[in-house]
Amino acid sequence: MRIQFELTDEKAKELDAFMAVLGITTKRDLFENALSFLEWAVKEIQANPDRVIGSIDEQNESYKELQMAIFSNARSFAREKKKETKSPSFV
């Protein structure tokens, strides 16, 4: 399958600079890594809708939650699925 994206010249330069920081040489590698991270995060939320995805600062014993609309959507979906499995079925 072939996927194409249209980016502004500025956004394309930002993407290239980001890839250099990560040591990634192809956009395919970037896409696959980004998708792997996203899949992991959603699976964590699906396993426990009360779980948050975030960054831990061990030195200061604090964390910062990564808030994204897609995580909220995944959380809502997981909670609905949880309700469905707890509801008694009357047949």
Side-chain angles (χ1 to χ4, degrees):
M1 173 190 313
R2 182 173 183 83
I3 299 174
Q4 291 182 286
F5 298 95
E6 288 190 33
L7 302 172
T8 64
D9 289 341
E10 182 180 329
K11 202 49 133 170
K13 288 177 186 176
E14 288 177 21
L15 190 60
D16 288 338
F18 186 57
M19 289 171 56
V21 168
L22 300 173
I24 294 174
T25 57
T26 68
K27 299 208 176 31
R28 178 183 175 170
D29 285 343
L30 177 66
F31 182 80
E32 287 177 353
N33 278 279
L35 191 56
S36 293
F37 173 72
L38 185 59
E39 287 174 350
W40 170 82
V42 170
K43 285 179 183 177
E44 289 295 308
I45 292 168
Q46 288 176 329
N48 180 350
D50 295 324
R51 189 171 287 165
V52 298
I53 306 302
S55 171
I56 298 173
D57 181 341
E58 290 179 342
Q59 187 174 7
N60 293 317
E61 297 181 357
S62 64
Y63 74 94
K64 183 173 184 176
E65 181 179 355
L66 174 58
Q67 296 183 352
M68 297 177 71
I70 54 177
F71 292 163
S72 296
N73 296 345
R75 185 170 285 109
S76 295
F77 183 81
R79 286 184 174 142
E80 282 300 314
K81 292 287 278 185
K82 199 173 185 179
K83 284 181 192 175
E84 289 173 11
T85 58
K86 286 185 176 181
S87 298
S89 58
F90 298 101
V91 180

